[in-house]
Each structure stands twice: as C-alpha cells, then as structure tokens.
Amino acid sequence: INIRRHPIDLAYSWIKRGWGKRYGKDPLSFQPVYMHNGNPVPYFAVEWADEYIDSDEYDRVIKSIVYLTEKESHVINSQQSDICCIFYENLVKQADKEMGKIYDFLGRYPHESMDKIINRETRDIAFQEQRSMKIDYISSGADDKFSFDRLLDLGIVYDKNLNNEDV
C-alpha cells in the first residue's frame, strides 16, 4: 500500500522541516546517511552524491523529491498489480472510498468502527488553493531551474493521476 503525496506538497514540507540541511547533522532524523568526501549524503542520493553536496538547501530538497518521485513511479508502473496506490488528498477528503480500495486490495473487510472513524477524520482541505503559495515559496529559494521545472512537471502528472486515478 503506497500513499502518494503531491511533489509540490512534499518539497514544501521538506523545506519547512529543514531536510535540505539536516541529513547527517541532526541525530533525531533517524535516516541512514553515507559519507562522501567527508560530507553526509542521504541513502537515496548516493548515486548523485556530488550533485547533492554541491546544491543549496532548496535545490537539495527539490532534486531529492524529483529523484524519489521518479523512482517511486518507475516501481509502481512496473509492478502495478502488486501495489495499491492511494492519493493523500483523496484519503483526506474521501476516506471511505480510499479505504474501500485498500479493503479490496487486501481482500479484507473493515472493522465495525471504521465508518465512525472515517466520518470523524474526513476533512475538506483546499489543497489546490494552497499549492500556488507553496510553488511561490519553493521557487523563491530554487536556483536550479531545470530541477524546479521537473518538480512542476511531476506535479502535473500527479494531478492527472489523482483526477483519473489511473495509478
């Protein structure tokens, strides 16, 4: 079961949490890092460690989200029948529908209290309206235009998949 988040939302959250500078320096991050030329590099950036090290905080986050999203999409596309994709926005706004997908995927039935929990936890959040503010915030610190544009492109693909629920 894979809960997907919008790449813009992820990048914004990571920047706000300082993930572009915390890896290998914050003992509370609980993330494996590797040392590359004396610099900490997160496990997922080992293949492009020099680029990671040479990037500033915002660009590290953007490149990380692009890399992880592309890897995630590749795995999902190659193993679709083995992965149940749930979109975070749908889980928050239409939890009963998304939980139904999970039940079907697992071949299980919900606990009798699930309807009550779903009714209590369902929210109406203006994800799309918040996104333009997040894009402006991210772009204000991004130097690598190519990576930022790639992040925006991945956001467009995500929106199409969210609306069509193809993945």
Side-chain angles (χ1 to χ4, degrees):
I1 298 171
N2 180 351
I3 300 176
R4 301 196 84 180
R5 292 270 330 257
H6 197 289
I8 298 295
D9 295 344
L10 279 173
Y12 177 80
S13 177
W14 279 35
I15 290 168
K16 294 298 268 183
R17 294 177 187 265
W19 284 119
K21 60 186 174 191
R22 288 176 59 191
Y23 279 111
K25 298 176 180 149
D26 182 350
L28 299 177
S29 70
F30 297 107
Q31 294 287 330
V33 294
Y34 297 90
M35 296 307 286
H36 180 78
N37 296 333
N39 297 291
V41 176
Y43 70 93
F44 56 81
V46 170
E47 294 177 21
W48 46 283
D50 290 327
E51 187 177 352
Y52 180 88
I53 292 166
D54 292 341
S55 297
D56 67 13
E57 177 183 0
Y58 279 54
D59 289 330
R60 280 182 181 173
V61 167
I62 293 166
K63 290 174 185 183
S64 296
I65 297 302
V66 167
Y67 177 84
L68 291 168
T69 301
E70 288 175 343
K71 289 292 186 185
E72 175 189 53
S73 295
H74 175 73
V75 170
I76 289 168
N77 291 334
S78 66
Q79 300 177 14
Q80 272 187 336
S81 62
D82 297 330
I83 300 171
C84 176
C85 285
I86 302 296
F87 293 92
Y88 178 76
E89 291 87 342
N90 290 344
L91 185 60
V92 170
K93 290 182 163 193
Q94 309 166 21
D96 52 342
K97 182 179 174 185
E98 295 302 292
M99 291 305 296
K101 290 180 191 176
I102 293 172
Y103 304 144
D104 290 345
F105 179 76
L106 296 175
R108 305 292 297 247
Y109 296 98
H111 188 272
E112 60 191 40
S113 65
M114 189 53 88
D115 284 340
K116 183 178 177 181
I117 293 168
I118 286 174
N119 287 334
R120 183 182 70 219
E121 298 299 328
T122 300
R123 301 284 186 267
D124 187 21
I125 299 172
F127 289 108
Q128 200 62 39
E129 289 79 11
Q130 295 174 1
R131 202 146 295 126
S132 61
M133 176 277 300
K134 292 176 181 180
I135 290 170
D136 291 343
Y137 183 84
I138 295 165
S139 69
S140 72
D143 291 327
D144 183 337
K145 176 125 174 67
F146 177 79
S147 294
F148 180 73
D149 287 344
R150 186 67 191 126
L151 180 71
L152 294 177
D153 290 344
L154 289 171
I156 292 167
V157 170
Y158 180 93
D159 287 334
K160 286 180 183 175
N161 288 332
L162 171 68
N163 295 327
N164 295 328
E165 298 187 29
D166 289 339
V167 178

